Amino acid sequence: MTDFPRDAILVVVEAQASGELEKAAPGLFGAAAAVGTPVALVLAAPGAGSAAEAAVLGAAHVLIAETPDPSALGVPSVDALAAAVEQVQPDAILISHSLNGRDLAGRYAARSRAAISADAIGVSRDDEGVVAHHSVYGGAYNVTSTSTFGAPVITVRQGSVDARATAQPQASETLAVTPSGKPAARIDSFEEAVAATSRPELRGAAKVVAGGRGLGSEEQFALVGQLADTLGAAVGASRAAVDAGYIPQSHQVGQTGVSVSSQLYIALGISGAIQHRAGMQTAKTIVAINKDSDAPIFEIADYGVVGDLFKVVPQLISALEARKK
Amino acid sequence: MKIIVLVKEVPDTYGDRKLNLETGLADREASETVIDEIGERALELALTYADANEGTEVAVLSLAPEGATATIRKGLAMGAGSATHISDEALRGADLGLTAETLAAAIRRVEFDLVITGNVSTDGSGGMIPAMLAELLDVPLATGLSSVQISDGAVSGSRPVESGVQQVSATLPAVISITEALPGPRFPNFKGIMAAKKKPVEVLTLADLGVTADNPDAARSIMLTVAEKPPHAAGVKIIDEGDAGEKLADFLIENRLA
Ligand SMILES: Cc1cc2nc3c(=O)[nH]c(=O)nc-3n(C[C@H](O)[C@H](O)[C@H](O)COP(=O)(O)OP(=O)(O)OC[C@H]3O[C@@H](n4cnc5c(N)ncnc54)[C@H](O)[C@@H]3O)c2cc1C
Ligand SMILES: Nc1ncnc2c1ncn2[C@@H]1O[C@H](COP(=O)(O)O)[C@@H](O)[C@H]1O
């Protein structure tokens, strides 16, 4: 049996249908390497498990668990994690704070009576063990947490960790998993999302251009995309814009959407409701264009323009294009 | 069919939410508390099903401090048939593990077909209670559903994940969690508010449920430090006089943001 490092941090990553690891993987290994030796658990469909990418991302050792029942939702992953923890005896377990990651963390913690540190934006170590860092109430507070004993199960906010680990030589093995036989929901079908644009991902983006109800229609919302492309930015939206059908929910920024801490955040036709601000007020530089000079978004804007976005934005785009030349 | 809807009382997101810098707990005096909006949507889903299917029982369950009766009453006024309120001093600052253990103990006491929860709460952003409950209750779990069909012995729906959308289904009993893509709640009408006063509200303590807050076998999550961050300060604000686009371009370029 493999001897695992005494300071092992177990990083759980899912292989996508494409065979690539989930997008959060580089940040998870980056976070883990700062507090110990990353050991990967790769969860994959039958025949799709590979150690190569995890090793490149910094895993000193890779355990591969191919699910025996790919249509069972969640349970095989929990069984695999339980088996991996048993073998590795890690100091902490890092999982993405995605929907699947949260299910896995919650179920595993309930099963093993481990403590959870949810939605961390970073990790560190003190004399007692691994500590999770959180940004709560929309970035109004910084909090740290840990477990009273045992390895904490830490879910890491997607796109929140910039650190990357150095590549490791590939060392891997297949993990033997005893199925728990717990009842699971079934995945009856799956429709893969086709990447519609080459724009950056909203989560973890350095620049974000976001549009709100002020864009007025789905057609006019295209202006947000134009400015984003000029700046090489990701596209975000308010909940009102999502509710109005201008753009899919995955672009929603805020309390119940994505949290961003970008270098630049440009809010177009967004009033700046407290729930929207909760997802973007930790951005470094905030720009707002709104025709209502009393819009609350101006309270946190480094640069505010009171004006009609349909006049200001096209001029901004041509000015930026002209100066690029 | 018996449906249990989990509603959480949270600080109103429309107000200023504060943490006590000494205890790290929510400062309950600082803000109004309300039913988390996602819990209202979960209840709406159950009530819509009940409207169309006679003999459906809808009960709300909440673990919340003593004063939370108003929010529970709101659930009853919307149309739930009964409510259970778990309240105990020893639950102050309960972590996810203790919360899930306690809620599971309350759910286990009744024969249920379906537990409906929100996907994430607006105060904790944990989004893990539904998964923990499914594990503790030993039933299937379908989380993050953006559409839901409930039938006699099963529940199904769409489940958007990072790489696409799954269609999932589970036999009952099961735990599901829903997203805010589901319809918003109905307003309680006068009749509902009056009727709510006569509906049963069961109040339970940890002792009633046989749960101990300081079980030595369970690891707990503890807060080590809490610090307040100053709010993002406002900078310049200009009024467009026909050249704001040019000026903004200058600002972005000067700050190496374009
Ligand atoms: C529990 C809960 C969670 C929520 N979560 C979120 C969340 O995650 N994200 C989120 O965004 N919201 C969230 N909300 C909703 C939030 O309260 C607001 O309703 C929403 O953010 C408003 O979106 P908006 O700013 O686009 O629309 P509005 O508030 O309608 O603002 C539109 C703005 O556009 C401006 N405008 C109009 N035309 C022009 C023009 N031609 N040029 C310039 N400006 C123009 C107007 O002056 C106005 O300020 C949540 C609410 C609740 C209760
Ligand atoms: N204290 C609580 N009382 C009742 N339901 C809760 C409680 N905490 C969480 N829930 C349920 O679990 C969902 C997800 O919450 P969370 O995992 O805390 O983000 C909520 O939307 C509720 O439906």
Side-chain angles (χ1 to χ4, degrees):
Chain A
M1 228 174 96
T2 317
D3 257 344
F4 287 94
R6 293 198 51 182
D7 67 345
I9 307 294
L10 187 61
V11 175
V12 188
V13 284
E14 246 185 272
Q16 310 281 33
S18 63
E20 285 169 32
L21 296 184
E22 61 184 300
K23 295 193 195 93
L28 290 171
F29 288 109
V35 292
T37 307
V39 172
L41 168 62
V42 175
L43 304 169
S50 145
E53 192 183 347
V56 168
L57 292 175
H61 198 97
V62 183
L63 297 171
I64 297 176
E66 293 184 350
T67 170
D69 182 2
S71 71
L73 181 59
V75 171
S77 304
V78 189
D79 297 345
L81 177 53
V85 172
E86 187 79 13
Q87 279 202 26
V88 177
Q89 298 290 320
D91 284 351
I93 299 157
L94 300 190
I95 306 175
S96 169
H97 193 69
S98 63
L99 181 59
N100 284 340
R102 289 181 342 238
D103 282 2
L104 174 58
R107 294 197 79 139
Y108 171 73
R111 191 182 289 187
S112 65
R113 320 211 74 169
I116 299 179
S117 288
D119 197 23
I121 56 165
V123 290
S124 64
R125 221 182 230 283
D126 69 9
D127 307 342
E128 321 260 322
V130 177
V131 173
H133 298 240
H134 315 261
S135 170
V136 308
Y137 284 172
Y141 294 88
N142 289 332
V143 169
T144 58
S145 75
T146 193
S147 175
T148 48
F149 60 86
V153 177
I154 302 171
T155 58
V156 180
R157 182 181 293 180
Q158 294 149 285
S160 66
V161 178
D162 293 330
R164 295 293 178 261
T166 44
Q168 299 295 318
Q170 192 173 317
S172 69
E173 67 197 76
T174 305
L175 179 71
V177 179
T178 317
S180 62
K182 289 253 181 192
R186 314 297 306 174
I187 305 169
D188 300 319
S189 65
F190 175 63
E191 196 178 323
E192 203 173 345
V194 278
T197 65
S198 52
R199 281 187 197 129
E201 267 289 298
L202 178 56
R203 294 179 194 279
K207 296 177 191 171
V208 176
V209 179
R213 182 147 43 199
L215 269 300
S217 71
E218 189 182 352
E219 292 71 39
Q220 296 184 140
F221 199 88
L223 189 58
V224 178
Q226 282 171 29
L227 178 57
D229 291 343
T230 309
L231 291 164
V235 170
S238 71
R239 185 166 93 171
V242 170
D243 286 348
Y246 303 167
I247 183 151
Q249 203 275 336
S250 54
H251 292 269
Q252 182 175 320
V253 172
Q255 178 81 68
T256 44
V258 174
S259 290
V260 298
S261 295
S262 46
Q263 293 297 314
L264 174 65
Y265 190 89
I266 303 186
L268 306 176
I270 292 177
S271 60
I274 202 157
Q275 297 94 348
H276 186 79
R277 284 154 50 176
M280 46 66 72
Q281 63 195 2
T282 56
K284 280 258 165 50
T285 301
I286 297 171
V287 172
I289 305 176
N290 196 305
K291 65 181 184 190
D292 171 9
S293 72
D294 292 331
I297 191 76
F298 289 125
E299 291 163 21
I300 56 161
D302 298 278
Y303 199 96
V305 177
V306 181
D308 182 353
L309 74 93
F310 295 108
K311 297 208 177 92
V312 179
V313 175
Q315 189 183 67
L316 170 62
I317 293 173
S318 6
L320 290 171
E321 298 286 356
R323 282 172 230 201
K324 264 190 202 163
K325 287 182 190 137
Chain B
M1 167 94 66
K2 168 125 188 171
I3 303 177
I4 301 178
V5 180
L6 265 62
V7 296
K8 186 175 185 186
E9 192 190 71
V10 297
D12 191 349
T13 57
Y14 283 104
D16 244 348
R17 296 178 296 167
K18 295 228 176 302
L19 285 185
N20 181 311
L21 293 175
E22 245 134 62
T23 61
L25 301 180
D27 182 346
R28 302 194 64 88
E29 252 77 90
S31 30
E32 290 278 312
T33 49
V34 295
I35 301 190
D36 209 352
E37 189 201 57
I38 196 71
E40 295 182 341
R41 287 179 201 252
L43 180 54
E44 180 61 38
L45 171 65
L47 294 175
T48 305
Y49 180 82
D51 289 344
N53 294 274
E54 226 174 291
T56 308
E57 250 183 88
V58 177
V60 292
L61 169 63
S62 193
L63 183 165
E66 208 180 341
T69 25
T71 61
I72 288 161
R73 286 272 166 219
K74 181 168 181 200
L76 294 175
M78 273 175 68
S82 65
T84 302
H85 178 184
I86 308 168
S87 181
D88 198 307
E89 260 310 297
L91 287 168
R92 188 184 288 272
D95 72 345
L96 289 166
L98 179 57
T99 303
E101 208 182 306
T102 308
L103 289 169
I107 296 168
R108 241 184 245 121
R109 298 156 65 243
V110 287
E111 294 249 337
F112 67 93
D113 295 290
L114 184 60
V115 173
I116 309 179
T117 78
N119 58 342
V120 264
S121 49
T122 52
D123 60 345
S125 311
M128 296 194 207
I129 292 293
M132 301 177 88
L133 290 176
E135 186 71 25
L136 296 171
L137 297 168
D138 231 337
V139 298
L141 168 73
T143 47
L145 301 184
S146 60
S147 72
V148 179
Q149 294 84 43
I150 304 168
S151 63
D152 227 354
V155 60
S156 62
S158 302
R159 181 171 183 267
V161 290
E162 192 179 310
S163 55
V165 181
Q166 300 171 337
Q167 297 302 321
V168 299
S169 60
T171 51
L172 302 183
V175 172
I176 64 167
S177 80
I178 56 131
T179 74
E180 61 181 11
L182 264 75
R186 61 192 64 189
F187 286 106
N189 57 22
F190 181 72
K191 215 175 111 209
I193 294 166
M194 294 315 286
K197 300 198 164 129
K198 296 200 195 82
K199 289 178 181 169
V201 180
E202 181 186 27
V203 179
L204 297 174
T205 63
L206 283 182
D208 296 329
L209 294 169
V211 175
T212 39
D214 48 7
N215 181 342
D217 294 335
R220 297 288 180 215
S221 169
I222 45 168
M223 234 182 245
L224 297 173
T225 59
V226 190
E228 196 166 5
K229 264 189 24 192
H232 199 107
V236 284
K237 183 158 96 177
I238 63 165
I239 294 171
D240 182 25
E241 285 165 349
D243 59 353
E246 295 280 349
K247 285 187 178 158
L248 179 49
D250 290 340
F251 171 82
L252 294 176
I253 289 165
E254 274 162 27
N255 289 283
R256 298 162 173 271
L257 292 165

PDB file of all heavy atoms in Angstrom, chain A residues 44-76:
ATOM      1  N   ALA A  44     -14.594   9.880 -11.986  1.00  0.00           N
ATOM      2  CA  ALA A  44     -14.797   9.831 -13.429  1.00  0.00           C
ATOM      3  C   ALA A  44     -15.815   8.774 -13.816  1.00  0.00           C
ATOM      4  O   ALA A  44     -16.121   7.865 -13.045  1.00  0.00           O
ATOM      5  CB  ALA A  44     -13.472   9.527 -14.121  1.00  0.00           C
ATOM      6  N   ALA A  45     -16.330   8.939 -15.028  1.00  0.00           N
ATOM      7  CA  ALA A  45     -17.189   7.910 -15.614  1.00  0.00           C
ATOM      8  C   ALA A  45     -16.308   6.727 -15.999  1.00  0.00           C
ATOM      9  O   ALA A  45     -15.087   6.882 -16.113  1.00  0.00           O
ATOM     10  CB  ALA A  45     -17.895   8.484 -16.834  1.00  0.00           C
ATOM     11  N   PRO A  46     -16.907   5.544 -16.219  1.00  0.00           N
ATOM     12  CA  PRO A  46     -16.086   4.377 -16.554  1.00  0.00           C
ATOM     13  C   PRO A  46     -15.197   4.648 -17.768  1.00  0.00           C
ATOM     14  O   PRO A  46     -15.658   5.167 -18.782  1.00  0.00           O
ATOM     15  CB  PRO A  46     -17.125   3.295 -16.876  1.00  0.00           C
ATOM     16  CG  PRO A  46     -18.347   3.704 -16.134  1.00  0.00           C
ATOM     17  CD  PRO A  46     -18.333   5.192 -16.105  1.00  0.00           C
ATOM     18  N   GLY A  47     -13.917   4.356 -17.634  1.00  0.00           N
ATOM     19  CA  GLY A  47     -12.983   4.521 -18.745  1.00  0.00           C
ATOM     20  C   GLY A  47     -12.476   5.934 -18.936  1.00  0.00           C
ATOM     21  O   GLY A  47     -11.617   6.182 -19.770  1.00  0.00           O
ATOM     22  N   ALA A  48     -12.990   6.899 -18.150  1.00  0.00           N
ATOM     23  CA  ALA A  48     -12.633   8.303 -18.379  1.00  0.00           C
ATOM     24  C   ALA A  48     -11.633   8.842 -17.361  1.00  0.00           C
ATOM     25  O   ALA A  48     -11.246  10.012 -17.411  1.00  0.00           O
ATOM     26  CB  ALA A  48     -13.887   9.164 -18.373  1.00  0.00           C
ATOM     27  N   GLY A  49     -11.223   7.991 -16.404  1.00  0.00           N
ATOM     28  CA  GLY A  49     -10.321   8.487 -15.365  1.00  0.00           C
ATOM     29  C   GLY A  49      -8.889   8.541 -15.841  1.00  0.00           C
ATOM     30  O   GLY A  49      -8.368   7.578 -16.398  1.00  0.00           O
ATOM     31  N   SER A  50      -8.247   9.693 -15.647  1.00  0.00           N
ATOM     32  CA  SER A  50      -6.849   9.819 -16.036  1.00  0.00           C
ATOM     33  C   SER A  50      -6.122  10.632 -14.985  1.00  0.00           C
ATOM     34  O   SER A  50      -6.691  11.541 -14.386  1.00  0.00           O
ATOM     35  CB  SER A  50      -6.761  10.482 -17.404  1.00  0.00           C
ATOM     36  OG  SER A  50      -5.635  11.306 -17.467  1.00  0.00           O
ATOM     37  N   ALA A  51      -4.850  10.284 -14.769  1.00  0.00           N
ATOM     38  CA  ALA A  51      -4.096  10.968 -13.726  1.00  0.00           C
ATOM     39  C   ALA A  51      -3.271  12.113 -14.275  1.00  0.00           C
ATOM     40  O   ALA A  51      -2.803  12.961 -13.536  1.00  0.00           O
ATOM     41  CB  ALA A  51      -3.172   9.966 -13.027  1.00  0.00           C
ATOM     42  N   ALA A  52      -3.124  12.147 -15.605  1.00  0.00           N
ATOM     43  CA  ALA A  52      -2.163  13.069 -16.194  1.00  0.00           C
ATOM     44  C   ALA A  52      -2.437  14.528 -15.832  1.00  0.00           C
ATOM     45  O   ALA A  52      -1.559  15.248 -15.356  1.00  0.00           O
ATOM     46  CB  ALA A  52      -2.158  12.890 -17.707  1.00  0.00           C
ATOM     47  N   GLU A  53      -3.697  14.970 -16.030  1.00  0.00           N
ATOM     48  CA  GLU A  53      -3.994  16.384 -15.808  1.00  0.00           C
ATOM     49  C   GLU A  53      -3.811  16.763 -14.338  1.00  0.00           C
ATOM     50  O   GLU A  53      -3.270  17.826 -14.017  1.00  0.00           O
ATOM     51  CB  GLU A  53      -5.417  16.698 -16.286  1.00  0.00           C
ATOM     52  CG  GLU A  53      -5.680  18.197 -16.362  1.00  0.00           C
ATOM     53  CD  GLU A  53      -7.119  18.534 -16.772  1.00  0.00           C
ATOM     54  OE1 GLU A  53      -7.854  17.633 -17.239  1.00  0.00           O
ATOM     55  OE2 GLU A  53      -7.496  19.706 -16.605  1.00  0.00           O
ATOM     56  N   ALA A  54      -4.251  15.884 -13.437  1.00  0.00           N
ATOM     57  CA  ALA A  54      -4.121  16.180 -12.004  1.00  0.00           C
ATOM     58  C   ALA A  54      -2.652  16.313 -11.616  1.00  0.00           C
ATOM     59  O   ALA A  54      -2.283  17.179 -10.811  1.00  0.00           O
ATOM     60  CB  ALA A  54      -4.802  15.091 -11.183  1.00  0.00           C
ATOM     61  N   ALA A  55      -1.787  15.459 -12.185  1.00  0.00           N
ATOM     62  CA  ALA A  55      -0.356  15.536 -11.875  1.00  0.00           C
ATOM     63  C   ALA A  55       0.221  16.860 -12.382  1.00  0.00           C
ATOM     64  O   ALA A  55       0.969  17.541 -11.675  1.00  0.00           O
ATOM     65  CB  ALA A  55       0.388  14.353 -12.487  1.00  0.00           C
ATOM     66  N   VAL A  56      -0.171  17.246 -13.583  1.00  0.00           N
ATOM     67  CA  VAL A  56       0.308  18.516 -14.141  1.00  0.00           C
ATOM     68  C   VAL A  56      -0.136  19.682 -13.260  1.00  0.00           C
ATOM     69  O   VAL A  56       0.590  20.647 -13.042  1.00  0.00           O
ATOM     70  CB  VAL A  56      -0.222  18.701 -15.596  1.00  0.00           C
ATOM     71  CG1 VAL A  56       0.018  20.125 -16.088  1.00  0.00           C
ATOM     72  CG2 VAL A  56       0.430  17.690 -16.523  1.00  0.00           C
ATOM     73  N   LEU A  57      -1.337  19.558 -12.700  1.00  0.00           N
ATOM     74  CA  LEU A  57      -1.862  20.643 -11.861  1.00  0.00           C
ATOM     75  C   LEU A  57      -1.275  20.630 -10.454  1.00  0.00           C
ATOM     76  O   LEU A  57      -1.552  21.525  -9.668  1.00  0.00           O
ATOM     77  CB  LEU A  57      -3.390  20.557 -11.795  1.00  0.00           C
ATOM     78  CG  LEU A  57      -4.122  20.861 -13.101  1.00  0.00           C
ATOM     79  CD1 LEU A  57      -5.626  20.624 -12.951  1.00  0.00           C
ATOM     80  CD2 LEU A  57      -3.862  22.307 -13.545  1.00  0.00           C
ATOM     81  N   GLY A  58      -0.498  19.586 -10.111  1.00  0.00           N
ATOM     82  CA  GLY A  58       0.200  19.632  -8.826  1.00  0.00           C
ATOM     83  C   GLY A  58      -0.058  18.489  -7.870  1.00  0.00           C
ATOM     84  O   GLY A  58       0.407  18.526  -6.732  1.00  0.00           O
ATOM     85  N   ALA A  59      -0.792  17.452  -8.312  1.00  0.00           N
ATOM     86  CA  ALA A  59      -1.045  16.331  -7.407  1.00  0.00           C
ATOM     87  C   ALA A  59       0.193  15.445  -7.308  1.00  0.00           C
ATOM     88  O   ALA A  59       0.678  14.938  -8.317  1.00  0.00           O
ATOM     89  CB  ALA A  59      -2.235  15.516  -7.899  1.00  0.00           C
ATOM     90  N   ALA A  60       0.690  15.244  -6.085  1.00  0.00           N
ATOM     91  CA  ALA A  60       1.848  14.384  -5.885  1.00  0.00           C
ATOM     92  C   ALA A  60       1.447  12.919  -6.067  1.00  0.00           C
ATOM     93  O   ALA A  60       2.273  12.071  -6.381  1.00  0.00           O
ATOM     94  CB  ALA A  60       2.418  14.601  -4.492  1.00  0.00           C
ATOM     95  N   HIS A  61       0.176  12.656  -5.840  1.00  0.00           N
ATOM     96  CA  HIS A  61      -0.323  11.304  -5.990  1.00  0.00           C
ATOM     97  C   HIS A  61      -1.783  11.391  -6.432  1.00  0.00           C
ATOM     98  O   HIS A  61      -2.498  12.280  -5.975  1.00  0.00           O
ATOM     99  CB  HIS A  61      -0.212  10.557  -4.656  1.00  0.00           C
ATOM    100  CG  HIS A  61      -0.291   9.088  -4.824  1.00  0.00           C
ATOM    101  ND1 HIS A  61       0.806   8.278  -4.895  1.00  0.00           N
ATOM    102  CD2 HIS A  61      -1.372   8.281  -4.984  1.00  0.00           C
ATOM    103  CE1 HIS A  61       0.417   7.028  -5.089  1.00  0.00           C
ATOM    104  NE2 HIS A  61      -0.897   7.005  -5.139  1.00  0.00           N
ATOM    105  N   VAL A  62      -2.199  10.478  -7.323  1.00  0.00           N
ATOM    106  CA  VAL A  62      -3.565  10.551  -7.836  1.00  0.00           C
ATOM    107  C   VAL A  62      -4.287   9.228  -7.595  1.00  0.00           C
ATOM    108  O   VAL A  62      -3.786   8.165  -7.942  1.00  0.00           O
ATOM    109  CB  VAL A  62      -3.576  10.859  -9.350  1.00  0.00           C
ATOM    110  CG1 VAL A  62      -5.020  11.014  -9.844  1.00  0.00           C
ATOM    111  CG2 VAL A  62      -2.767  12.109  -9.660  1.00  0.00           C
ATOM    112  N   LEU A  63      -5.434   9.313  -6.972  1.00  0.00           N
ATOM    113  CA  LEU A  63      -6.313   8.149  -6.824  1.00  0.00           C
ATOM    114  C   LEU A  63      -7.428   8.293  -7.844  1.00  0.00           C
ATOM    115  O   LEU A  63      -8.048   9.349  -7.939  1.00  0.00           O
ATOM    116  CB  LEU A  63      -6.924   8.112  -5.419  1.00  0.00           C
ATOM    117  CG  LEU A  63      -5.940   7.962  -4.257  1.00  0.00           C
ATOM    118  CD1 LEU A  63      -6.669   8.176  -2.935  1.00  0.00           C
ATOM    119  CD2 LEU A  63      -5.315   6.578  -4.295  1.00  0.00           C
ATOM    120  N   ILE A  64      -7.681   7.257  -8.602  1.00  0.00           N
ATOM    121  CA  ILE A  64      -8.723   7.339  -9.618  1.00  0.00           C
ATOM    122  C   ILE A  64      -9.896   6.451  -9.224  1.00  0.00           C
ATOM    123  O   ILE A  64      -9.733   5.276  -8.915  1.00  0.00           O
ATOM    124  CB  ILE A  64      -8.172   6.911 -10.994  1.00  0.00           C
ATOM    125  CG1 ILE A  64      -7.076   7.901 -11.401  1.00  0.00           C
ATOM    126  CG2 ILE A  64      -9.279   6.876 -12.049  1.00  0.00           C
ATOM    127  CD1 ILE A  64      -6.375   7.556 -12.665  1.00  0.00           C
ATOM    128  N   ALA A  65     -11.074   7.065  -9.185  1.00  0.00           N
ATOM    129  CA  ALA A  65     -12.293   6.305  -8.876  1.00  0.00           C
ATOM    130  C   ALA A  65     -13.246   6.432 -10.040  1.00  0.00           C
ATOM    131  O   ALA A  65     -13.785   7.504 -10.301  1.00  0.00           O
ATOM    132  CB  ALA A  65     -12.928   6.831  -7.591  1.00  0.00           C
ATOM    133  N   GLU A  66     -13.430   5.357 -10.777  1.00  0.00           N
ATOM    134  CA  GLU A  66     -14.412   5.358 -11.855  1.00  0.00           C
ATOM    135  C   GLU A  66     -15.703   4.790 -11.293  1.00  0.00           C
ATOM    136  O   GLU A  66     -15.706   3.724 -10.684  1.00  0.00           O
ATOM    137  CB  GLU A  66     -13.895   4.531 -13.031  1.00  0.00           C
ATOM    138  CG  GLU A  66     -12.692   5.201 -13.681  1.00  0.00           C
ATOM    139  CD  GLU A  66     -12.195   4.486 -14.922  1.00  0.00           C
ATOM    140  OE1 GLU A  66     -12.649   3.361 -15.191  1.00  0.00           O
ATOM    141  OE2 GLU A  66     -11.342   5.073 -15.618  1.00  0.00           O
ATOM    142  N   THR A  67     -16.786   5.553 -11.475  1.00  0.00           N
ATOM    143  CA  THR A  67     -18.032   5.139 -10.838  1.00  0.00           C
ATOM    144  C   THR A  67     -18.554   3.830 -11.423  1.00  0.00           C
ATOM    145  O   THR A  67     -18.551   3.645 -12.641  1.00  0.00           O
ATOM    146  CB  THR A  67     -19.112   6.234 -10.946  1.00  0.00           C
ATOM    147  OG1 THR A  67     -20.343   5.672 -10.510  1.00  0.00           O
ATOM    148  CG2 THR A  67     -19.275   6.737 -12.371  1.00  0.00           C
ATOM    149  N   PRO A  68     -19.031   2.932 -10.586  1.00  0.00           N
ATOM    150  CA  PRO A  68     -19.605   1.686 -11.092  1.00  0.00           C
ATOM    151  C   PRO A  68     -20.973   1.931 -11.722  1.00  0.00           C
ATOM    152  O   PRO A  68     -21.450   1.098 -12.480  1.00  0.00           O
ATOM    153  CB  PRO A  68     -19.730   0.818  -9.839  1.00  0.00           C
ATOM    154  CG  PRO A  68     -19.799   1.778  -8.699  1.00  0.00           C
ATOM    155  CD  PRO A  68     -19.024   2.988  -9.111  1.00  0.00           C
ATOM    156  N   ASP A  69     -21.606   3.046 -11.408  1.00  0.00           N
ATOM    157  CA  ASP A  69     -22.977   3.282 -11.861  1.00  0.00           C
ATOM    158  C   ASP A  69     -23.123   4.751 -12.252  1.00  0.00           C
ATOM    159  O   ASP A  69     -23.545   5.575 -11.450  1.00  0.00           O
ATOM    160  CB  ASP A  69     -23.937   2.922 -10.712  1.00  0.00           C
ATOM    161  CG  ASP A  69     -25.390   3.086 -11.111  1.00  0.00           C
ATOM    162  OD1 ASP A  69     -25.660   3.435 -12.283  1.00  0.00           O
ATOM    163  OD2 ASP A  69     -26.258   2.870 -10.241  1.00  0.00           O
ATOM    164  N   PRO A  70     -22.777   5.102 -13.501  1.00  0.00           N
ATOM    165  CA  PRO A  70     -22.735   6.509 -13.886  1.00  0.00           C
ATOM    166  C   PRO A  70     -24.085   7.222 -13.837  1.00  0.00           C
ATOM    167  O   PRO A  70     -24.116   8.449 -13.807  1.00  0.00           O
ATOM    168  CB  PRO A  70     -22.201   6.483 -15.323  1.00  0.00           C
ATOM    169  CG  PRO A  70     -22.105   5.087 -15.729  1.00  0.00           C
ATOM    170  CD  PRO A  70     -22.387   4.198 -14.572  1.00  0.00           C
ATOM    171  N   SER A  71     -25.192   6.480 -13.810  1.00  0.00           N
ATOM    172  CA  SER A  71     -26.463   7.205 -13.749  1.00  0.00           C
ATOM    173  C   SER A  71     -26.942   7.428 -12.318  1.00  0.00           C
ATOM    174  O   SER A  71     -27.957   8.075 -12.091  1.00  0.00           O
ATOM    175  CB  SER A  71     -27.523   6.488 -14.587  1.00  0.00           C
ATOM    176  OG  SER A  71     -27.880   5.295 -13.948  1.00  0.00           O
ATOM    177  N   ALA A  72     -26.205   6.918 -11.343  1.00  0.00           N
ATOM    178  CA  ALA A  72     -26.572   7.186  -9.945  1.00  0.00           C
ATOM    179  C   ALA A  72     -26.025   8.563  -9.562  1.00  0.00           C
ATOM    180  O   ALA A  72     -24.848   8.826  -9.710  1.00  0.00           O
ATOM    181  CB  ALA A  72     -25.996   6.116  -9.031  1.00  0.00           C
ATOM    182  N   LEU A  73     -26.911   9.435  -9.092  1.00  0.00           N
ATOM    183  CA  LEU A  73     -26.503  10.798  -8.783  1.00  0.00           C
ATOM    184  C   LEU A  73     -25.851  10.895  -7.397  1.00  0.00           C
ATOM    185  O   LEU A  73     -26.507  10.670  -6.381  1.00  0.00           O
ATOM    186  CB  LEU A  73     -27.727  11.727  -8.855  1.00  0.00           C
ATOM    187  CG  LEU A  73     -27.503  13.218  -8.582  1.00  0.00           C
ATOM    188  CD1 LEU A  73     -26.504  13.816  -9.559  1.00  0.00           C
ATOM    189  CD2 LEU A  73     -28.815  13.979  -8.631  1.00  0.00           C
ATOM    190  N   GLY A  74     -24.574  11.203  -7.382  1.00  0.00           N
ATOM    191  CA  GLY A  74     -23.899  11.579  -6.138  1.00  0.00           C
ATOM    192  C   GLY A  74     -23.355  10.470  -5.263  1.00  0.00           C
ATOM    193  O   GLY A  74     -22.205  10.539  -4.822  1.00  0.00           O
ATOM    194  N   VAL A  75     -24.149   9.448  -5.009  1.00  0.00           N
ATOM    195  CA  VAL A  75     -23.755   8.446  -4.014  1.00  0.00           C
ATOM    196  C   VAL A  75     -22.395   7.783  -4.303  1.00  0.00           C
ATOM    197  O   VAL A  75     -21.561   7.655  -3.398  1.00  0.00           O
ATOM    198  CB  VAL A  75     -24.873   7.386  -3.811  1.00  0.00           C
ATOM    199  CG1 VAL A  75     -24.393   6.228  -2.955  1.00  0.00           C
ATOM    200  CG2 VAL A  75     -26.093   8.044  -3.175  1.00  0.00           C
ATOM    201  N   PRO A  76     -22.120   7.368  -5.576  1.00  0.00           N
ATOM    202  CA  PRO A  76     -20.803   6.746  -5.821  1.00  0.00           C
ATOM    203  C   PRO A  76     -19.637   7.674  -5.456  1.00  0.00           C
ATOM    204  O   PRO A  76     -18.594   7.200  -5.001  1.00  0.00           O
ATOM    205  CB  PRO A  76     -20.829   6.462  -7.328  1.00  0.00           C
ATOM    206  CG  PRO A  76     -22.279   6.346  -7.675  1.00  0.00           C
ATOM    207  CD  PRO A  76     -22.974   7.328  -6.774  1.00  0.00           C
TER     208      PRO A  76
END
